Amino acid sequence: MQRPTGSEVWNGPYVKGGKVPSDPWGNPYQYRSPVESAPYEIVSYGSDGHEGGTGTAADISNVEH
């Protein structure tokens, strides 16, 4: 949203409008850092908005390696 302090190279803002969008079900994304296998993870808790679940309520993770 804003240039990080001390960063000389930055081509942002990467998210327009000043607000992180919600997941497809209108719930906030979860940001975890650090995680075991990556520097960070972005998670949607699925249609029910709660951790765990199956089907459309299953968690969706985008682990950055």
Side-chain angles (χ1 to χ4, degrees):
M1 307 278 228
Q2 297 177 359
R3 177 187 298 266
T5 304
S7 176
E8 294 182 28
V9 179
W10 189 67
N11 193 26
Y14 301 104
V15 176
K16 304 296 183 198
K19 183 179 178 212
V20 175
S22 298
D23 73 8
W25 297 278
N27 299 313
Y29 284 104
Q30 307 299 311
Y31 176 83
R32 300 173 184 161
S33 177
V35 294
E36 187 174 317
S37 61
Y40 66 88
E41 177 180 31
I42 299 172
V43 178
S44 165
Y45 284 157
S47 62
D48 66 354
H50 298 283
E51 192 169 9
T54 60
T56 62
D59 298 351
I60 301 166
S61 173
N62 180 15
V63 175
E64 177 64 33
H65 293 279

